[in-house]
Amino acid sequence: MSSWGNNIKLSIFGESHGKGIGVVIDGLPAGEKIDMDALLLQMSRRAPGRDKAATPRLEKDQPEILSGMLADTTTGAPLCAVIRNTNTRSQDYGDMMTRPRPAHADFTGYIRYSGFNDIRGGGHFSARLTAPLVFTGAVCRQILERRGIKIAAHIASVGNIYDERFDGTYIPDELMNRLSSSVFGLIDQSREAGMRALIEECRLSGDSIGGTIECAVTGMPAGIGSPMFYGVENVLSSIIFGVPAVKGIEFGSGFEGSSLRGSENNDEFFYDEGCVRTRTNNHGGILGGISSGMPIIFRTAMKPTPSIALEQKTVDLKEKTDTTLAIKGRHDPCIAVRAVPVIEAAAAAAMTELMKEAGKL
Amino acid sequence: MSSWGNNIKLSIFGESHGKGIGVVIDGLPAGEKIDMDALLLQMSRRAPGRDKAATPRLEKDQPEILSGMLADTTTGAPLCAVIRNTNTRSQDYGDMMTRPRPAHADFTGYIRYSGFNDIRGGGHFSARLTAPLVFTGAVCRQILERRGIKIAAHIASVGNIYDERFDGTYIPDELMNRLSSSVFGLIDQSREAGMRALIEECRLSGDSIGGTIECAVTGMPAGIGSPMFYGVENVLSSIIFGVPAVKGIEFGSGFEGSSLRGSENNDEFFYDEGCVRTRTNNHGGILGGISSGMPIIFRTAMKPTPSIALEQKTVDLKEKTDTTLAIKGRHDPCIAVRAVPVIEAAAAAAMTELMKEAGKL
Amino acid sequence: MSSWGNNIKLSIFGESHGKGIGVVIDGLPAGEKIDMDALLLQMSRRAPGRDKAATPRLEKDQPEILSGMLADTTTGAPLCAVIRNTNTRSQDYGDMMTRPRPAHADFTGYIRYSGFNDIRGGGHFSARLTAPLVFTGAVCRQILERRGIKIAAHIASVGNIYDERFDGTYIPDELMNRLSSSVFGLIDQSREAGMRALIEECRLSGDSIGGTIECAVTGMPAGIGSPMFYGVENVLSSIIFGVPAVKGIEFGSGFEGSSLRGSENNDEFFYDEGCVRTRTNNHGGILGGISSGMPIIFRTAMKPTPSIALEQKTVDLKEKTDTTLAIKGRHDPCIAVRAVPVIEAAAAAAMTELMKEAGKL
Amino acid sequence: MSSWGNNIKLSIFGESHGKGIGVVIDGLPAGEKIDMDALLLQMSRRAPGRDKAATPRLEKDQPEILSGMLADTTTGAPLCAVIRNTNTRSQDYGDMMTRPRPAHADFTGYIRYSGFNDIRGGGHFSARLTAPLVFTGAVCRQILERRGIKIAAHIASVGNIYDERFDGTYIPDELMNRLSSSVFGLIDQSREAGMRALIEECRLSGDSIGGTIECAVTGMPAGIGSPMFYGVENVLSSIIFGVPAVKGIEFGSGFEGSSLRGSENNDEFFYDEGCVRTRTNNHGGILGGISSGMPIIFRTAMKPTPSIALEQKTVDLKEKTDTTLAIKGRHDPCIAVRAVPVIEAAAAAAMTELMKEAGKL
């Protein structure tokens, strides 16, 4: 299902080479002014070919808002945005229909939909479908920012080149603002050259490379979320795994924390000007599924782009034989770069859902 | 919320020191015979003090089935099971009400519920609440096994001591059977002594240790799950993060895969006796959210037990001052051991949900 | 499914002759004091054999609260209540298993559950399952009353004997209080004798009689509910049809209004001490699915009790022949009487759901 | 919320005078061929100004399908259809913003959305929003018809002029086919003249008139639906009350049945060529929430069109005074006529939801 949420409800639609893609967002609060330039800036961060800088006005991929807004303000009715597909040539996909691309959803989609799925460009599985999600997040983040909640992510690693990590006890607004408007967001910007070199090396060798993304939410009040199945981790992961190529998520000290002792991993409480805080943030801002008031921190594992130029072994589903496949066309050699604003957007939707459940929106 | 699922609906209730805990499972298929000894064996694996071997009949913690079964067979009506709390002394919890235990939900629960939550023994946040989840999984896994689907997990690591990993391309039934009836499940059983020694060392020093769990689902047909928000990863993680102490989840090559190249991480398809399979299983049996027919493999990060005997710094919520806390009582020094059957149970519920959505139950 | 609700989640379980019945209520606000005598009074109104007056303490059918309450106050964790079945003899049900009772769910349940449903006493379809619903409503109504919202219903008709209707523009608290504690609630109490005589006549002739119930909700603020599918009518009817024997529901002028002209049925707005009200209430307090601030008024059609002593024609599902059936045992000749508190309870749950969605709980 | 469904999920969006309206339908089975002419015929039945006959190709109000279909066949991905609003002048709405129209959602929407709702033409509350619902039903009914399930409705009454009722024990396919392609559907077509005369009389006097609609579903297999809250009545009413102007719903003998005796209202079972049927159909094809295999029959009460030319009393929300209002423009004097295909469409969506839940789609 491409529907998500209980208190806000998203319904994302579209196929890569169909007429258009988009989203309906139901349950947004009424009366929220949306800055369209800020919204388009977010969409620009995700757009292909924005290597160096995000720009608010793109020539194409402009979302058209069909409903739910009047005078740039939410009406409370469902907000629908549509992005037209302009580049819908489909001459290259012939092979894919019978030769599933390794690590893509071609094979599983074929089985799931008995061969009726639109295979062109990956169809509904295409990473292009992250555009409506970024749109959604761009709306949600403005609503959240008005309440002091900020969301920003950075490229935590490309291959084995790592950025610094967030200091979970204090993340300055300036860093949050810088990252959430970057197209190649890093805490330590000196790592950019090395990462870009590795990505370029992979591209030139017809290969791709994986990466990780770290995301922070600051300003979230304590007491949001519920035990068991509606915890912050549950809600976040239920939407984050909707982002293509995500194969893992961890909160706070995460997998690393599982090799620590309790005395190392437990975060001590203390009073900081009348406010309860923790001295470290191995809990990633979440205890028992509920926000603690500390920054919410999580990392996602992004697999290497499945589409590589190198020849790969696969099967021919019609001939029922083994065969090979060489994928043509231009593909991002490292998904993790353009996925940064997508992860932020998913987090923004999750925080909006959680805040509304708590009666705070 | 402690309710979960769309096609089967769980509602878990209870507090550690209240009258009882339990679960209502709505939407189970009718006519499913349940082997009560096999069910109790699963519950025995999770029960405290079962260090060496699981046994079908426990003296206490027997679930009483109030509804939904007749002659050990599901009727199709909601199945309710209740486990009475017998050990409900609450003399030790005085401090907790004002001094939140680090890394526990005491503080966040206090904020979330304005101080009205039942703090005794952790209340609804207690790991004791995993008993009804194991019950649920024990019912679901029998329904799944009848359709050739098996679920088993093992302790993948304790601290820095690692077990072998599943061979994702082939997992023999014998291994699945052995692990899913173990109380200290390991692929390479020679690692047990070292792990136990580390755990005991932590216990003696008043400390605790984290670990990881790896879980496999075999026999799942290809084509189960949906793109975006109802993928196998989404559904699994939405319930897995309901297990206390889980701080991360990864599928297939997961975080490690994010440092690989596409040519290394992509899994080639081939025909194996007329059936499409992959030569490696870095995708963890899931592509585009949909099962590929290969074993579904995931790992979870379990934080070290928060309750440690060592003195820790915390706050006094009434006095609004910093203070210290020493936690008394016996606590598992490594949650990861007893959490193995809980993770299996959550996976069994998720697979039942997914199979029912696909019209296969 | 026997689960209901989005913002509060009910899960009702049990079969008439199983071990017990009950409910889990998830999502209640924490810190709500529950007056147990008032709660038991509500349950007493529904209990069988309470012909003349409701009494707070029944010898049997006492709900045991297993979780979610501490010191008679909600903790915010799921509230589970269980009612034991004490009278579980099942010697009379032999025929039913093969001879479905006309107008009962015996036949449809048999098909739906492939014969595995618990047929004894109607199993999960039994009207006994309304006890946990009344329990739920008894909790919810106390939470609502604290916010000035009252719920009361009366027997609007038995056969062709009618009570007066609510004056939808003004319903005094005294009337609401009297009705919501009655066992034979009427606006015009002089109709009781006639109704009772008709019911007794039906009983003596081995027959039964239908009726209607009218329910009012006062004090509901304007602006609750949403357009289209989450309107007050949608939410109310989705739970009201969970009450056995309900075959119709209408709001405000309802079916009668469909024979009127717009100039007759439209309710004029006016200012009443600074507050917008309507001079008539044909809209039943709901416009566009959203509460108007006027009393919410609806009526339900209750079919005559299907279980009658008169011999009826039916089939023998084993022999696959036509046959006859005479139903033994004591049955209420008019369901509408005891269903009054059940309808109120369902309305209380619906109002709690709606208020929570609106961020008012 | 304008989202509906658990197994198929609708998300309807749009405002009367915004850019467009439409729907996303998630969860449809893949591989379903959709006859576009048949689909447009259904939309034509609802379209304004189609007084005499439905025609497949309208000049305007053509839905554009953006996703989920390839070669007129469902792909399994979400199906999005958009209808552009062409006539979006809004010069007449000035008064409405301050003077709520009686019996409309102007006032309640104003409160609900703090004045931010799009008031033009009723905004999201407009009856124009039934167009995407008819689109949805037109897709669903083709999927159902392929499985032998037909849906048809007729005008059961206009004011006090009544059509015949369905014979619930046998409804010929020819009648179903005729009604489901009519624009003024009646079982006894001789009643048309009288009804039209009454409607015209109301129109000429600046007034409007209410009506009722009766709908039948034939070919539904026995055993669909669930007890309590997911019964056929619950699911149907939860969507039917999403149709503007519906103020009541009844199944089978409904309110009339509530004045009958059990011996009159109970439907006897008998074997008819090896198949269990009932001799009468007072149960409306539903027992215990589950389909019996007999035709499902329900009636809805449609209030008179609230927009009338006659001057009405209302309030001025800005001046906070009482005032009057005369509504201009052309309005259907009897909603019940054009609502017939909308009711059918809602029923088609409900049956698709129920069939999918039962694993039959």
Side-chain angles (χ1 to χ4, degrees), chain C residues 174-213:
Chain C
E174 302 73 49
L175 177 58
M176 296 297 285
N177 293 342
R178 175 170 69 77
L179 291 178
S180 61
S181 58
S182 296
V183 290
F184 201 101
L186 291 169
I187 296 179
D188 177 358
Q189 292 171 287
S190 73
R191 320 280 170 106
E192 180 170 344
M195 286 181 178
R196 284 194 183 275
L198 174 57
I199 293 169
E200 183 65 7
E201 179 206 316
C202 291
R203 192 182 69 77
L204 291 175
S205 62
D207 211 338
S208 65
I209 186 80
T212 59
I213 294 169

Side-chain angles (χ1 to χ4, degrees), chain A residues 1 112 207 210 225-226 247 263, chain B residues 1 112 207 225-226 251 258 263:
Chain A
M1 293 283 197
R112 171 74 173 81
D207 211 340
S226 288
K247 294 301 276 189
S263 57
Chain B
M1 295 282 195
R112 171 75 173 82
D207 212 337
S226 289
F251 296 85
S258 68
S263 57

Side-chain angles (χ1 to χ4, degrees), chain C residues 286-304:
Chain C
I286 309 161
L287 288 170
I290 301 173
S291 62
S292 69
M294 296 297 290
I296 293 172
I297 311 268
F298 66 94
R299 278 170 301 282
T300 60
M302 314 301 297
K303 71 179 181 185

Side-chain angles (χ1 to χ4, degrees), chain A residues 9-25:
Chain A
K9 289 181 191 279
L10 314 183
S11 188
I12 290 181
F13 59 88
E15 281 127 335
S16 181
H17 287 55
K19 286 199 180 170
I21 62 176
V23 64
V24 182
I25 318 172

Side-chain angles (χ1 to χ4, degrees), chain B residues 29 31 41 43 46 68 85 127-128 150 158-159 162 175 189 202 224 242 247 274 277 332 335 340 347 356:
Chain B
L41 178 77
M43 299 202 67
R46 190 214 68 92
N85 290 334
R128 180 163 169 72
K150 285 178 182 288
V158 171
Y162 293 86
L175 177 58
Q189 293 171 287
C202 291
I224 307 299
K247 293 301 277 188
R277 293 168 47 81
D332 281 14
I335 296 171
V340 168
K356 197 167 175 211

Side-chain angles (χ1 to χ4, degrees), chain C residues 200-360:
Chain C
E200 183 65 7
E201 179 206 316
C202 291
R203 192 182 69 77
L204 291 175
S205 62
D207 211 338
S208 65
I209 186 80
T212 59
I213 294 169
E214 188 180 46
C215 184
V217 181
T218 59
M220 195 75 174
I224 307 299
S226 289
M228 304 211 80
F229 308 122
Y230 195 79
V232 177
E233 289 119 331
N234 307 254
V235 172
L236 260 170
S237 62
S238 76
I239 191 168
I240 288 286
F241 281 111
V243 179
V246 174
K247 295 301 276 188
I249 188 167
E250 60 178 2
F251 296 85
S253 61
F255 277 91
E256 201 175 289
S258 67
S259 67
L260 299 180
R261 305 209 169 188
S263 57
E264 297 168 310
N265 195 60
N266 287 359
D267 300 305
E268 297 175 347
F269 291 109
F270 73 107
Y271 269 102
D272 184 16
E273 300 183 3
C275 184
V276 175
R277 294 168 45 82
T278 59
R279 289 210 186 270
T280 48
N281 189 2
N282 290 318
H283 69 292
I286 309 161
L287 288 170
I290 301 173
S291 62
S292 69
M294 296 297 290
I296 293 172
I297 311 268
F298 66 94
R299 278 170 301 282
T300 60
M302 314 301 297
K303 71 179 181 185
T305 316
S307 290
I308 57 175
L310 291 170
E311 191 180 84
Q312 298 177 87
K313 291 179 183 169
T314 186
V315 292
D316 187 308
L317 292 168
K318 279 203 181 134
E319 305 291 331
K320 293 192 184 294
T321 55
D322 293 351
T323 182
T324 61
L325 178 72
I327 299 171
K328 290 164 202 158
R330 199 181 178 286
H331 298 277
D332 281 12
C334 180
I335 296 172
V337 177
R338 274 176 58 208
V340 168
V342 184
I343 294 294
E344 288 178 13
M351 294 304 126
T352 305
E353 162 74 23
L354 286 158
M355 287 288 283
K356 197 168 175 210
E357 195 272 339
K360 310 242 178 219

Side-chain angles (χ1 to χ4, degrees), chain B residues 160-216:
Chain B
N160 286 310
I161 309 180
Y162 293 86
D163 189 15
E164 280 181 31
R165 287 198 175 178
F166 281 118
D167 173 355
T169 62
Y170 175 66
I171 310 177
D173 279 359
E174 302 74 47
L175 177 58
M176 296 297 285
N177 293 342
R178 175 168 70 76
L179 291 177
S180 60
S181 57
S182 296
V183 289
F184 202 101
L186 291 169
I187 296 179
D188 177 358
Q189 293 171 287
S190 74
R191 320 279 171 107
E192 180 169 344
M195 287 181 178
R196 284 193 182 276
L198 174 57
I199 294 169
E200 183 64 5
E201 178 206 318
C202 291
R203 191 182 70 76
L204 291 174
S205 63
D207 212 337
S208 64
I209 185 80
T212 60
I213 294 170
E214 188 180 48
C215 183

